[in-house]
Amino acid sequence: MDMAEKYNLLALEQYSSRKNHSALQQAINMRLCMDLSLLTRRPLSIVAIDLCSCYDRIQHCIAGMAMRKYGHKTPPIMCRFATIQEIEVSLRTGFGNSKVRKPKDLYLIPIDARGNPISVAIQGVGQGSPDSSDGPVLWAIVSTAVLEVMRNLRYGITIKCTRSGESLNTLGCLFVDDSTYFQQSPTHSVPVVVERTQLAITDLQGLIKATGGAFNPLQEKSYWWLMSYNWNNGKSHLMTKPAFPAELQTQDTFDEHCLLHRREVDCAKVILGVAQAPKNDGKAMTKHLRDKATNW
């Protein structure tokens, strides 16, 4: 990670496992992108995606290739994954360590290109505790490769700095498996924004699936907002769902098609510890903090 930080190899959008990067900063970045849409009246889609068992689903071959891409040597990679693949796990309880050990061939993923059933080693990289592998670090590397593909496909939004004139392309705000993606259209067309968002979700899901991961389709975990505007007496207003109906499709963990839940623009959701909504008056965050204090 030190070398990746030194040579700016990690994706700009990924804040997890990095020095001087925090979840609160990402929440602020997300708010600023929403405010920029409100200021310029440019349509914007905001898609929040949660991944199922993020670290435990990383395929070793994909992680190894991502590590090699960003300069990691082959022998340490082979040593790391061989150790994980040969590991046996026992449960520690109040009555002592369990005698039943998890077999090495549990949760096997057949990856034979010809479709033949084969026995492959266990996948996943652990949760990052001192006595396990570096799950957060490896996910930062793997997600960087995924985001690079998405950037090459020209998804995301472009922000131009007023003073310097420089342009910044960003795909969204990511913190481990909690990710929020943005999409706009150069023509400011709302239907084009929805169309591009659907294409982005489809491509992103394919990339995540290639790493071994999957979207969590539950509406409390994955959802989206659409910021579109109409004008009335010279004033702009955010359009509600009935005013501009739109749907996005995704797939669940069984590859079945399902609709991604769309939230109203004033329906806030706690993301990275902060209650967010495109049309935000601060009341949702105030209620969230009061509930936390009351429960405490």
Side-chain angles (χ1 to χ4, degrees):
M1 285 297 292
D2 290 338
M3 295 296 291
E5 292 278 11
K6 180 179 179 180
Y7 293 103
N8 297 320
L9 299 178
L10 298 177
L12 175 70
E13 296 86 353
Q14 181 58 269
Y15 269 40
S16 66
S17 310
R18 303 181 62 180
K19 296 178 180 178
N20 303 318
H21 292 69
S22 67
L24 182 58
Q25 288 175 319
Q26 278 293 51
I28 295 175
N29 292 338
M30 182 178 174
R31 182 68 257 168
L32 291 175
C33 287
M34 292 182 183
D35 288 346
L36 186 61
S37 173
L38 291 170
L39 178 65
T40 59
R41 306 301 192 269
R42 291 189 60 184
L44 173 71
S45 67
I46 306 138
V47 183
I49 297 294
D50 183 72
L51 301 181
C52 294
S53 305
C54 179
Y55 303 149
D56 295 328
R57 296 180 66 115
I58 298 177
Q59 290 196 27
H60 293 173
C61 58
I62 297 297
M65 287 189 289
M67 294 169 70
R68 288 290 295 124
K69 172 179 172 61
Y70 297 111
H72 216 66
K73 301 298 182 181
T74 299
I77 295 175
M78 296 177 64
C79 178
R80 177 190 300 272
F81 292 129
T83 301
I84 299 175
Q85 291 168 4
E86 295 295 326
I87 198 170
E88 291 186 357
V89 181
S90 60
L91 297 178
R92 176 166 293 179
T93 70
F95 302 96
N97 294 343
S98 64
K99 295 181 180 180
V100 178
R101 292 177 175 268
K102 184 174 72 173
K104 294 182 293 184
D105 59 350
L106 191 62
Y107 302 126
L108 301 186
I109 303 178
I111 54 176
D112 187 0
R114 298 181 180 179
N116 300 323
I118 58 174
S119 177
V120 296
I122 188 172
Q123 306 297 297
V125 295
Q127 293 294 318
S129 61
D131 56 347
S132 69
S133 68
D134 304 321
V137 174
L138 288 177
W139 178 247
I141 298 296
V142 171
S143 62
T144 293
V146 170
L147 293 173
E148 183 175 339
V149 175
M150 294 292 290
R151 200 184 317 277
N152 291 337
L153 293 174
R154 300 188 180 278
Y155 291 123
I157 62 175
T158 300
I159 303 173
K160 187 174 183 179
C161 180
T162 304
R163 295 186 61 182
S164 67
E166 296 181 358
S167 296
L168 169 68
N169 175 263
T170 180
L171 296 165
C173 302
L174 286 78
F175 198 86
V176 193
D177 60 340
D178 292 324
S179 51
T180 304
Y181 298 92
F182 306 127
Q183 187 60 52
Q184 284 184 330
S185 166
T187 62
H188 300 192
S189 169
V190 181
V192 174
V193 170
V194 176
E195 180 183 357
R196 289 285 295 169
T197 304
Q198 180 62 73
L199 292 174
I201 291 176
T202 302
D203 289 339
L204 176 64
Q205 186 153 39
L207 292 167
I208 294 297
K209 187 176 180 180
T211 69
F215 286 2
N216 187 340
L218 297 178
Q219 69 177 30
E220 290 300 315
K221 294 291 187 177
S222 299
Y223 43 87
W224 71 295
W225 289 286
L226 179 62
M227 298 179 67
S228 57
Y229 303 88
N230 63 356
W231 293 83
N232 186 14
N233 296 327
K235 294 184 179 181
S236 64
H237 303 274
L238 280 170
M239 298 175 68
T240 60
K241 291 198 298 184
F244 191 91
E247 294 181 346
L248 294 179
Q249 286 192 350
T250 184
Q251 291 180 335
D252 58 19
T253 53
F254 300 100
D255 293 335
E256 296 291 337
H257 288 278
C258 58
L259 292 178
L260 193 64
H261 176 62
R262 180 183 172 188
R263 304 180 73 90
E264 276 289 7
V265 290
D266 59 352
C267 183
K269 182 66 177 175
V270 177
I271 304 176
L272 300 177
V274 179
Q276 302 265 25
K279 188 177 181 180
N280 193 4
D281 55 6
K283 293 181 179 180
M285 188 60 195
T286 302
K287 182 179 183 303
H288 175 63
L289 292 175
R290 286 184 178 273
D291 291 342
K292 285 286 185 181
T294 302
N295 293 335
W296 182 81

